[in-house]
Amino acid sequence: SVTASGAITDSGTLAITGTTAINAGANNITINNGSGTFGTLEIIGNNVIVSENAATDIGASTIAGDASFTSTGNVTDSGTIAITGTTTINVGGNNITLNNGDGTYGTLQLLGNDVTVDENAATDIGTSSVGGTLNIDSAGNITDSGTITVAGTTTINAGANNITLTDGDGTFGTLELTGNDVTITENAATDIGASIIANTLAITSAGNITDSGTIAAASTVTLNAGSNNITIDNGDGTFG
């Protein structure tokens, strides 16, 4: 456990087996030697940068500014994470699983394979590249503020709230959507999987629009494929 009245940095390799608790108050934490291993991280600070040469587990943490985690393994959470600014997580070809359920992350910037995030607030997704699947579960509206690239299935659950992914350059694989008013702009062909839309659905696509699951939309469904084709023939869909 380290508590300091100033910034906390590293100038050598740290190898910690158990919990690493770091409290810098309103100051910054920069642990980026790159070879360190930390067990479970519990962090209090302003702007936080951590690089770990192993899988990374984040315990109960409060970060007033931005947080950046770079890991050579999976990134998981074992406690409630509260981040006010941008949360950047880079695991390369590994997985990100933040599903404690009580976490809040500011804007998420994600680089990984299979990514699962549950947020107890509105969710904003910044520039992100996901090699496998993306699963976002939010207690509020879900928006994008950067280009999202997903190779596999994108599952977005906003409950009774709205989903607005209109950056325009995003690509989402197959979309599975649960929300109220849902607006998607995709810079590729668009495939809609099993989705439940309580109100309106608006899809704008740079390619063909297809369905690979049952779509249930209670109100108006607006599909714009430009000069491309629209084929919604699952057979079980309902469209307002």
Side-chain angles (χ1 to χ4, degrees):
S1 176
V2 177
T3 300
S5 58
I8 297 176
T9 59
D10 63 340
S11 58
T13 300
L14 305 176
I16 300 169
T17 304
T19 298
T20 301
I22 302 177
N23 185 346
N27 301 293
N28 298 332
I29 299 169
T30 306
I31 308 293
N32 62 353
N33 171 273
S35 300
T37 55
F38 308 113
T40 293
L41 286 158
E42 296 180 349
I43 295 173
I44 298 174
N46 185 39
N47 293 318
V48 173
I49 299 173
V50 176
S51 297
E52 183 165 11
N53 192 29
T56 298
D57 182 62
I58 310 169
S61 298
T62 302
I63 298 170
D66 298 330
S68 176
F69 295 94
T70 301
S71 178
T72 61
N74 297 332
V75 171
T76 56
D77 62 343
S78 59
T80 299
I81 305 167
I83 301 171
T84 302
T86 298
T87 301
T88 303
I89 301 180
N90 182 349
V91 298
N94 300 294
N95 301 327
I96 300 168
T97 307
L98 304 180
N99 60 358
N100 170 273
D102 292 322
T104 54
Y105 304 110
T107 293
L108 286 159
Q109 296 182 342
L110 305 165
L111 176 62
N113 185 44
D114 291 327
V115 175
T116 300
V117 176
D118 293 350
E119 182 163 14
N120 193 28
T123 299
D124 181 62
I125 310 169
T127 302
S128 298
S129 180
V130 179
T133 61
L134 174 64
N135 190 318
I136 303 287
D137 197 314
S138 179
N141 295 331
I142 297 176
T143 57
D144 60 344
S145 58
T147 299
I148 305 167
T149 303
V150 182
T153 298
T154 300
T155 303
I156 307 279
N157 184 351
N161 301 292
N162 300 328
I163 301 169
T164 307
L165 304 181
T166 53
D167 170 79
D169 292 321
T171 55
F172 305 110
T174 293
L175 285 159
E176 297 180 346
L177 306 164
T178 302
N180 185 45
D181 290 321
V182 175
T183 304
I184 305 286
T185 303
E186 183 164 12
N187 192 29
T190 299
D191 182 62
I192 311 170
S195 298
I196 300 174
I197 315 297
N199 202 27
T200 62
L201 172 64
I203 303 285
T204 301
S205 179
N208 297 332
I209 298 176
T210 57
D211 62 341
S212 58
T214 300
I215 305 167
S219 190
T220 301
V221 176
T222 305
L223 304 178
N224 181 353
S227 60
N228 301 293
N229 301 326
I230 300 171
T231 308
I232 306 294
D233 59 354
N234 170 273
D236 294 320
T238 55
F239 305 111

